[in-house]
Amino acid sequence: MATLFIRAHTYTADKAGGILDEADRQPDACTHVDQPQRPKWLGGNAATVRQKIADYMATRESLTLKNGQEATRKRRHDARCLVAGVFSYPVPVSGMGAFAANPVEMKRFIDWSRQSQDFIKREFGKDTVFCVHLDESHPHIHFFAVGNANKIHHGLKAEFDDTGKRRAAADRSEAHKAGLRGLLNDYWLTVGQNLGFNREEGVRPIWRVKDRQIRAKIADIDKALTRQPDESTKQKRDELWEKSPKAKRPSLSF
């Protein structure tokens, strides 16, 4: 059974315009798509998100001074104020035509769309705006949530504890990863499990490991797991992957 996919990034106000143009399939803003098609917006559109960003940036930020008093200040121009992400359906667009003749699969696709949107609204806010794309390899829906990214992005939220931002970079990095893993797990428990999708397949892809010898070791472990699944072997595989230097993920395309 195929695996669901979800991903979320943060952006500053000056970067949001390009992201929204790309999502809206504006000319010259979506060169990664061979045959761009007009998207379907839900809960608003690109202009709605732009206005939400402008309204948010126009408000003053609350803060606590060293003496304990409350104050406000103008928001920094480089404040990350947009969380934008994507969740994708694991059936190629080329196979979507067969759905019309299969009521069970069509219902599953519709349920995935509705349940995923409900999940995103619970996690990122009821005012989240969605954009549906059917002009790439797989059907996918982008989401746009405006606000303080430190408080709404699961990875960034996890970097803070009761005393403020964690001081050690290693601690922040581990907490960030744990926050995003929590989002993925909750998505599968809330949506994927109900619809019969797999969990965590491809979460630690071999291609990200820089060392060729380690990639080969992981490939051998994956073959062994295919022949005989074993939780302890899988754990060793994950530990080897985590300790290995990784290449950066490609930037998120809209």
Side-chain angles (χ1 to χ4, degrees):
M1 183 61 68
T3 305
L4 293 183
F5 171 90
I6 187 171
R7 191 171 172 188
H9 286 189
T10 63
Y11 300 91
T12 58
D14 62 335
K15 297 291 186 182
I19 295 299
L20 291 167
D21 283 345
E22 189 179 346
D24 203 32
R25 296 300 188 245
Q26 293 297 317
D28 301 325
C30 53
T31 56
H32 67 290
V33 183
D34 293 333
Q35 296 180 316
Q37 300 174 16
R38 296 298 299 168
K40 180 179 180 180
W41 287 89
L42 306 169
N45 52 34
T48 305
V49 180
R50 286 189 173 90
Q51 188 60 55
K52 287 177 180 291
I53 292 172
D55 292 344
Y56 174 79
M57 293 299 292
T59 63
R60 295 180 67 84
E61 179 182 11
S62 300
L63 70 156
T64 303
L65 302 177
K66 290 183 178 180
N67 61 10
Q69 293 184 339
E70 298 296 322
T72 64
R73 67 181 178 189
K74 185 178 179 180
R75 295 192 185 279
R76 294 171 56 102
H77 74 279
D78 59 352
R80 287 182 284 189
C81 58
L82 175 68
V83 175
V86 60
F87 47 96
S88 179
Y89 196 69
V91 173
V93 169
S94 59
M96 294 292 289
F99 277 23
N102 189 331
V104 174
E105 282 300 323
M106 177 56 76
K107 182 179 184 303
R108 189 167 181 243
F109 175 72
I110 293 173
D111 287 344
W112 161 79
S113 175
R114 290 174 177 170
Q115 291 181 29
S116 294
Q117 290 177 57
D118 289 343
F119 173 80
I120 293 298
K121 287 180 180 180
R122 287 194 297 271
E123 295 294 321
F124 294 93
K126 59 183 179 62
D127 293 330
T128 301
V129 177
F130 299 91
C131 178
V132 183
H133 284 160
L134 298 175
D135 56 5
E136 295 184 71
S137 62
H138 289 73
H140 57 277
I141 303 178
H142 291 285
F143 59 90
F144 302 91
V146 177
N148 185 343
N150 287 335
K151 295 183 178 179
I152 59 178
H153 182 272
H154 294 63
L156 292 179
K157 275 196 302 185
E159 292 186 25
F160 293 80
D161 57 23
D162 294 337
T163 62
K165 196 166 188 177
R166 301 172 193 272
R167 293 189 177 184
D171 291 343
R172 291 198 302 272
S173 176
E174 186 56 38
H176 190 104
K177 293 177 184 177
L180 292 179
R181 280 197 299 268
L183 175 66
L184 290 168
N185 289 340
D186 289 345
Y187 182 52
W188 181 79
L189 288 169
T190 305
V191 179
Q193 182 175 235
N194 295 334
L195 299 177
F197 290 102
N198 280 340
R199 179 180 186 177
E200 295 187 341
E201 181 179 299
V203 169
R204 298 175 175 86
I206 295 178
W207 68 264
R208 287 199 61 204
V209 176
K210 291 183 177 180
D211 190 289
R212 184 174 60 182
Q213 293 182 335
I214 296 178
R215 287 202 304 270
K217 288 182 180 179
I218 294 176
D220 289 340
I221 294 174
D222 286 345
K223 290 178 182 178
L225 287 171
T226 300
R227 293 191 298 268
Q228 185 175 353
D230 177 75
E231 188 59 35
S232 62
T233 302
K234 182 179 183 302
Q235 185 175 351
K236 290 178 181 178
R237 189 261 195 208
D238 292 344
E239 290 175 353
L240 179 61
W241 189 93
E242 291 287 353
K243 294 178 181 178
S244 305
K246 258 83 68 189
K248 291 184 177 180
R249 291 183 181 274
S251 60
L252 185 61
S253 295
F254 290 82

